[in-house]
Amino acid sequence: MAEKPRLKLPKEAAKGEIIQIKTLVSHVMESGQRKDAQGKPIPRKIINKFTCEFNGKPVFSCTLEPAISANPYIQFDARIDEAGTFKFAWTDDDGSVITAEEKISLKA
């Protein structure tokens, strides 16, 4: 079971401001190319997709490959035109999805 993802973004921003969003999720990102002590291949288990939405609209997404390190860190920018909620999702090879949300408000 994955730990809660770590998110870093401001709690509020001015309308039209571009903010930086940083995410970090704990995950083994096993490539499937290593072998265990008995010489058997360790099955592949990676996060293969990351998406971010703001108020239901896509902001950023990417496909992750086996070469990505454990505990993938993703950083990107987003323009804030209204208050709302960011929704983040990391999709694993086994179909499980790790999700997180963070709200942001507009500066008065």
Side-chain angles (χ1 to χ4, degrees):
M1 185 73 179
E3 295 177 25
K4 181 180 174 186
R6 293 169 56 187
L7 305 171
K8 187 171 183 181
L9 62 148
K11 298 286 183 200
E12 61 179 23
K15 184 174 182 175
E17 182 178 350
I18 296 175
I19 64 164
Q20 189 174 68
I21 299 171
K22 298 176 181 178
T23 71
L24 178 74
V25 65
S26 296
H27 194 277
V28 296
M29 296 295 278
E30 183 58 54
S31 69
Q33 298 183 13
R34 294 186 319 133
K35 295 182 179 179
D36 64 14
Q38 288 77 38
K40 296 178 183 175
I42 299 172
R44 175 182 146 150
K45 180 172 176 50
I46 67 167
I47 291 174
N48 56 44
K49 185 176 182 184
F50 170 77
T51 60
C52 173
E53 295 180 349
F54 182 68
N55 291 341
K57 298 176 187 169
V59 173
F60 179 82
S61 69
C62 63
T63 301
L64 303 177
E65 302 292 338
I68 301 294
S69 68
N71 308 323
Y73 168 79
I74 300 171
Q75 175 182 321
F76 56 96
D77 296 332
R79 180 182 165 143
I80 302 300
D81 288 325
E82 61 185 346
T85 303
F86 282 97
K87 293 184 179 182
F88 305 90
W90 295 261
T91 305
D92 201 315
D93 276 343
D94 63 8
S96 63
V97 180
I98 302 166
T99 60
E101 291 185 8
E102 192 72 36
K103 293 183 179 186
I104 189 167
S105 59
L106 288 181
K107 289 180 181 175

